[in-house]
Amino acid sequence: MDNAISFKLKIWRQASPQEKGRFETYELRDIPTDTSFLEALDILNEQLIEKGEEPVAFDHDCREGICGMCSLYINGHPHGPATGATTCQLYVRRFRDGETITVEPWRSAAFPVIKDLMVNRNALDQIQQAGGYVSFNTGGAQDANAIPISKVDADEAMDSASCIGCGACVAACKNGSAMLFVAAKVSQFALLPQGKPEAKRRVKAMLAKMDELGFGNCTNTGACAAECPKNIKLSNISRLNREFVSAKCRD
Amino acid sequence: MEEKIKTTAVIDSKIPEGPVAEKWTNYKAHQKLVNPANKRRLDIIVVGTGLAGASAAATLGEMGFNVLNFCIQDSPRRAHSIAAQGGINAAKNYQNDGDSVYRLFYDTVKGGDYRAREANVYRLAEVSNNISDQCVAQGVPFAREYGGLLANRSVGGAQVSRTFYAKGQTGQQLLLGAYSSLNRQIKSGKVKSFNRYEMQDVVMIDGRARGSIAKNLVTCKLERFAAHAVVIATGGYGNTYFLSTNAMGCNVSAAMACYRKGAYFANPAYVQIHPTCIPRHGDNQSKLTLMSESLRNDGRIWVPKDIEDAKKLQAGQIKGSDIPEEKRDYYLERRYPAFGNLVPRDVASRAAKERCDKGFGVNNTGQAVFLDFSEAINRLGIDVIRQRYGNLFDMYEEITDVNPGEKASTIAGVDYYNPMMIYPAIHYTMGGIWVDYELQTSVKGLFAIGECNFSDHGANRLGASALMQGLADGYFVLPYTIQNYLSDQITVPRFSTDRPEFEEAEERCQKEMDQLMAIGGKRSVDSIHKELGNVMWDYVGMGRTKQSLETALEKIKDIRKEFETNLFVPGSQDGMNIELDKAFRLRDFITMGELIAYDALNREESCGGHFREEHQTEEGEAKRDDENFFYVACWQYNGDDTKAPSLIKEPLHYEAIKVQTRNYKN
Ligand SMILES: Cc1cc2nc3c(=O)[nH]c(=O)nc-3n(C[C@H](O)[C@H](O)[C@H](O)COP(=O)(O)OP(=O)(O)OC[C@H]3O[C@@H](n4cnc5c(N)ncnc54)[C@H](O)[C@@H]3O)c2cc1C
Ligand code: SF4
Ligand code: FES
């Protein structure tokens, strides 16, 4: 068939958090190259169900790179070989005919496996709960145009705010640090006047929570930013460090 | 056809007295409130963490209520609202282009083809301004001008620029704003968050909604939750069609649970088909990707004038960029000179179908039209266009391998860029659970907000108005109106989940799961769902007829039978079982599909997203029948999914707006 390839999938299967996992290898034939990688997994799952077996569990929802639900460590890269894209934005045309593609869950102490390729990323929510907000109650806002914000700052805050909370940065980091994820949120608020009043409290609370939940330390290897599907920049971490130092100085 | 069951129910929409512009103010001035000490004694279940659910849960928590908040994803931040691209409307008139609350109200009513409730829409337009204030205060990084003030753009169906946006990621930023407020309440303990939980049923005690049965999706076990009121914010039912722009997990199960408990389902036939989606590539397709409507601001939609050119495109012999300006038919600009490419979605979608049905489609399936940026790039330069749409161009390229920002040809001195290919797809559902002015369903103590209710968009929704409605409901409307209900509930003690009502509801849900596991047939959930989707798209899609709808009802009956007798769910109930979760949702999509068809069959007129081919003008425009169909169609459950529902009519009353024929031509 034109524009179709066949390949093997070596996939991590693990029935539950308690059980030991193992790799299983499956073969997919004549998959059109404009099929998305997750659609290829759908095809595999249909075949498994037809054989009476359980499908491979993996997380996904929007399938357009915005919800942060999909994960997968594909051929040694979180979200696979493409840069600036999530797993759900990966297409079969990225792979070669006859290739064996290895698919694993995120590996990190803070993200226990739930089933097969699905992990628990609740720790990321807990970090946000520690301080990733402006303390403001519904209703009391002033007019939206009351505080002008420079376009440069607004655009930069927007870039930081683009983090989809997928956890690829953690999976990519040899220390399992969530620093890029935390830095993205801290930066968004550090760049905006709305975030200023609580800036010091925020950065300390979020970092303390990150440590408490078993994420590793940041040693500036930069693997996180290289694998981030949303191109969240390392400069966010520098900004976080400055914010943290200045918060500490006030202690 | 089954015999119609007569019903004696009457509808009370509880619209406040007074002129339309004063109703909401009057309501708030006279409604009952709950004092702070009593709020602490009241528990509210909020199902859903999209814009509607997250904003409601956060606000109710801030007010002092105890909130139990559920979602099926692994985090509240991943609700489907995150995917909204284009923007959110507000009647700020920052651009000084003549906008006002009245104009936004008027545009929404007109856009909805005069099938929305006037009073609700006015309130929506009124609170729209609070929403943008609220979001800026939360730190939502909306796009700004160099002077530091907020930027706006216009989207389909409007002649003013009232849409606020954050790149092509507006839904994401608004949802993250609501999520941040929600997080603050979770930290304070006022909101308890249950992720990967799916509501399966509403629990009724003495005729009021008092709790829910939810499945922990990780353990596959049912759990019981009690509260003084239940709010559902579970989104739309677009996935009934299998392929849609909705996220994979979007489902109608919570709404169906409410419907089975007696909540009316209103206007199910009003389904929105979005004109600018990436065309289907094949049978393995799992969902359709929307290209933001904002692209229509600078993109021009066309097909070839000459059928021979179309045939060559379909055969892959030429490309769009080989066809020069004078041989292109910009059919929207031709048919609708006043609005051009910015006509509302239903009009744009049908116009694309009309051209493709006539053989002018531009890809191998014949089901695609071009969206072209050549003129805009030549006028403004590629940098400006990339600044506006860069991430959408990248997204398009990632999916199709074609870069719309790339120059492809020069003909007679004019540069042409690769056009995008687009085709309409199921996108949004205007119908939903019926609610009164207070957003309460026909079941006491049960509320519905956001896309899952029917309230504000009539027969068609304008761009950038769903985000507005979700946040209006969640931040500014429900937190008030629910108090009017709760004010006399303060002496009602917390219910124990050991009560027989909970026992019985849980048993019933468990039995249903056991049944699905026990069928032991041959078909996977998806294979049956795809079959349902094809029937819905072919017979209950963009153009409907009496005959197509009757065929659909027959076919869906067969699909239900196939589902009940030939489904296969692998695995067990000892832990997470994704196929079982999907089977449960499919059961409800089947019932929903029938409901859409029943309503479409009943509505012998064309309006907004509902187009009955028997009812069109000579020019092919929708022909409404105000004399006979100026009402909200409310469908009541008759005790069994296989029985036809009963119709109850809520007549519409317009005071402020004169009902007219929609006109986007001049
Ligand atoms: C691709 C796309 C782009 C869009 N762009 C725009 C735009 O630019 N402007 C605009 O105004 N509108 C846009 N819309 C429409 C808009 O995004 C939606 O209408 C809106 O976000 C719906 O919000 P919601 O809160 O009602 O529901 P959703 O965001 O769908 O949230 C539903 C919630 O309910 C939960 N849930 C569902 N079922 C259950 C259950 N049984 N148990 C427990 N929880 C459950 C889910 O987990 C989720 O948290 C777009 C839609 C799409 C598909
Ligand atoms: S920083 Fe990047 S990799 Fe990390 S969670 Fe955010 S989007 Fe994902
Ligand atoms: S499924 Fe939403 S980002 Fe991949």
Side-chain angles (χ1 to χ4, degrees), chain A residues 38 59-71 79 86-89 164 166 230, chain B residues 78 82 247-248:
Chain A
L38 292 185
D59 270 320
H60 64 104
D61 200 20
C62 73
R63 296 207 176 185
E64 46 189 67
I66 192 74
C67 73
M69 187 100 179
C70 64
S71 51
H79 292 302
T86 54
T87 289
C88 60
Q89 293 175 301
I164 58 174
C166 61
K230 294 291 136 182
Chain B
R78 306 205 204 283
I82 199 100
M248 302 297 288

Side-chain angles (χ1 to χ4, degrees), chain B residues 478-489:
Chain B
L478 178 94
Y480 278 91
T481 58
I482 201 171
Q483 293 189 52
N484 209 32
Y485 171 76
L486 288 171
S487 61
D488 66 359
Q489 301 293 303

Side-chain angles (χ1 to χ4, degrees), chain A residues 169-170 173-180 207-208 210-212 214-222 224 237 241 244:
Chain A
C169 45
V170 181
C173 176
K174 66 180 169 52
N175 308 320
S177 171
M179 201 63 153
L180 193 62
L207 283 179
M210 176 179 109
D211 291 342
E212 179 196 318
F215 290 97
N217 287 323
C218 174
T219 52
N220 283 314
T221 59
C224 50
I237 297 187
N241 286 332
F244 185 66

Side-chain angles (χ1 to χ4, degrees), chain A residues 17 31-32 34-36 38-39 42-43 45-46 48-64 66-70 82-85 89-91 93-94 114-115 118-122 124-126 128-152 154-155 157-159 161-167 181 185 188-189 192 194 198 201 205 230, chain B residues 55 58-59 62 72-80 82-85 92 94 129-130 132-150 164 166-169 172-173 176 179-187 193 195-196 218 245-250 281 284-290 387 395 397-401 475-476 522-527 568 570-572 575-579 582:
Chain A
I31 305 298
D34 57 4
T35 309
S36 77
L38 292 185
E39 284 165 357
D42 292 342
I43 295 172
N45 279 345
E46 284 295 298
L48 291 174
I49 294 167
E50 207 157 294
K51 286 193 274 180
E53 293 172 30
E54 271 204 71
V56 180
F58 61 91
D59 270 320
H60 64 104
D61 200 20
C62 73
R63 296 207 176 185
E64 46 189 67
I66 192 74
C67 73
M69 187 100 179
C70 64
T83 50
Q89 293 175 301
L90 186 64
Y91 282 76
R93 72 176 84 89
R94 283 272 176 187
I114 295 173
K115 183 172 183 172
M118 216 178 239
V119 299
N120 181 346
R121 285 171 288 191
N122 196 251
L124 296 180
D125 283 328
Q126 291 182 48
Q128 294 295 343
Q129 288 156 15
Y133 48 78
V134 173
S135 297
F136 159 79
N137 281 356
T138 302
Q142 57 182 337
D143 184 80
N145 254 348
I147 350 161
I149 298 172
S150 96
K151 179 168 164 48
V152 180
D155 287 350
M158 177 63 212
D159 287 342
S162 298
C163 162
I164 58 174
C166 61
F181 167 79
K185 191 47 73 182
Q188 175 196 341
F189 287 132
L192 297 173
Q194 299 92 312
E198 293 169 285
R201 195 175 75 180
K230 294 291 136 182
Chain B
S55 58
T59 306
E62 287 164 7
I72 57 173
Q73 290 85 356
D74 73 332
S75 161
R77 67 181 290 157
R78 306 205 204 283
H80 164 61
I82 199 100
Q85 301 170 352
K92 285 284 193 185
Y94 283 160
N129 289 338
N130 302 53
S132 38
D133 299 345
Q134 161 88 7
C135 296
V136 167
Q138 284 170 335
V140 169
F142 282 124
R144 288 177 182 267
E145 306 289 358
Y146 281 103
L149 300 183
L150 291 157
F164 294 76
K167 277 197 172 165
Q169 295 152 239
Q172 177 195 35
Q173 293 310 315
L176 293 180
Y179 165 76
S180 70
S181 291
L182 183 64
N183 279 333
R184 180 166 157 249
Q185 294 312 308
I186 293 172
K187 187 183 177 200
S193 163
N195 306 332
R196 294 197 200 266
V218 174
T245 61
N246 289 192
M248 302 297 288
C250 289
H281 63 65
N284 300 321
Q285 186 117 19
S286 56
K287 71 158 286 187
L288 295 167
T289 304
L290 175 76
Q387 166 93 15
M395 182 165 158
E397 185 176 4
E398 190 65 42
I399 296 172
T400 62
D401 231 7
Y475 284 132
F476 298 108
K522 292 204 154 48
R523 302 271 307 266
S524 70
V525 177
D526 277 3
S527 76
F568 170 61
S572 70
M576 173 175 276
N577 187 333
I578 296 164
E579 287 297 303
K582 277 165 41 183

